[in-house]
Amino acid sequence: MSELIPVLSKEQIRTLVEKVAKQISVDYKGKELILIGVLKGAYIFCADIAREITLDRLKVDFLRAASYGGGTTSTEEIKLTKDIDIDITGAHVLVVEDIVDTGLTLRFLIDHLKSYNPASIKICTMIDKKERRKVDLQADYACHVVQEGFLIGYGLDYDEKYRNLPGIYEMKL
Ligand code: IMP
Ligand code: MG
């Protein structure tokens, strides 16, 4: 059994999500915003942040990228396995991610979304993990920053497990 070290409690996550949602609500005031959640990891974060954003013209969509096998390191091959359904041409888009690690997944997804010519495209992540970044990519909104470690819970998985944990933990393998 691997050891799970608490990183963020359910209550701490709630406070962080509320704070970031408030900032997004201010920044996009009067605008139509489309949240694009990255499946599967961001499903919980996206649901939570969407409910805290107070814009009345908020839309939500999802896409899916596959980059992980069953292990804990990013492979460099990324595939789009589900595209968005909403037309984002000329729209303000905020990509909602669970965690940015090397940045390769988001780089790939952003390049893909840019091909639809949105008015703007920004990144909102639950966790910004700094140490292994391989591309020049900054999250515009991040709830929590860590240097390193493999995290699970609140949507984040290890071999498809632990997504249902309400808190976030570092997994010591
Ligand atoms: P990147 O392409 O290296 O930035 O990796 C991004 C994706 O890898 C995330 O969307 C996660 O699905 C997965 N990932 C990266 N780090 C972790 C982690 O610590 N725990 C769980 N999944 C992770
Ligand atoms: Mg992900």
Side-chain angles (χ1 to χ4, degrees):
M1 184 65 196
S2 18
E3 194 190 345
L4 298 184
I5 300 160
V7 174
L8 292 173
S9 68
K10 185 177 167 181
E11 292 71 27
Q12 285 171 313
I13 292 173
R14 188 187 200 170
T15 307
L16 293 168
V17 172
E18 281 172 4
K19 190 171 154 224
V20 170
K22 204 175 242 176
Q23 188 61 50
I24 292 168
S25 306
V26 170
D27 294 350
Y28 290 91
K29 192 166 187 259
K31 292 186 178 141
E32 184 178 302
L33 177 65
I34 305 178
L35 297 183
I36 300 185
V38 182
L39 295 171
K40 293 186 241 178
Y43 79 113
I44 295 178
F45 178 45
C46 194
D48 281 353
I49 201 147
R51 283 177 291 181
E52 296 296 336
I53 294 173
T54 54
L55 303 169
D56 37 85
R57 292 187 296 153
L58 185 78
K59 294 180 182 173
V60 183
D61 202 350
F62 293 93
L63 48 58
R64 178 155 189 219
S67 65
Y68 258 56
T72 58
T73 49
S74 300
T75 56
E76 303 203 4
E77 200 198 332
I78 302 152
K79 277 193 230 145
L80 188 74
T81 55
K82 186 223 169 292
D83 203 355
I84 48 169
D85 301 310
I86 296 180
D87 179 13
I88 61 165
T89 309
H92 296 288
V93 166
L94 188 57
V95 180
V96 180
E97 237 315 13
D98 51 356
I99 186 163
V100 186
D101 183 12
T102 62
L104 290 166
T105 307
L106 268 182
R107 174 82 286 142
F108 171 85
L109 291 176
I110 290 203
D111 288 346
H112 168 69
L113 291 171
K114 275 186 180 162
S115 71
Y116 294 121
N117 296 315
S120 71
I121 180 159
K122 289 193 173 184
I123 298 167
C124 172
T125 188
M126 180 65 213
I127 305 281
D128 188 353
K129 185 160 76 176
K130 295 285 190 191
E131 196 184 65
R132 304 192 317 137
R133 196 65 42 88
K134 285 190 185 155
V135 293
D136 180 23
L137 184 134
Q138 296 284 333
D140 301 281
Y141 304 94
C143 292
H144 187 68
V145 177
V146 297
Q147 270 314 110
E148 57 186 2
F150 191 79
L151 307 186
I152 50 104
Y154 195 67
L156 290 158
D157 75 306
Y158 172 67
D159 203 12
E160 295 298 331
K161 294 185 291 278
Y162 307 111
R163 293 193 197 276
N164 59 318
L165 296 180
I168 296 179
Y169 299 82
E170 182 178 347
M171 191 171 173
K172 292 282 184 196
L173 295 157

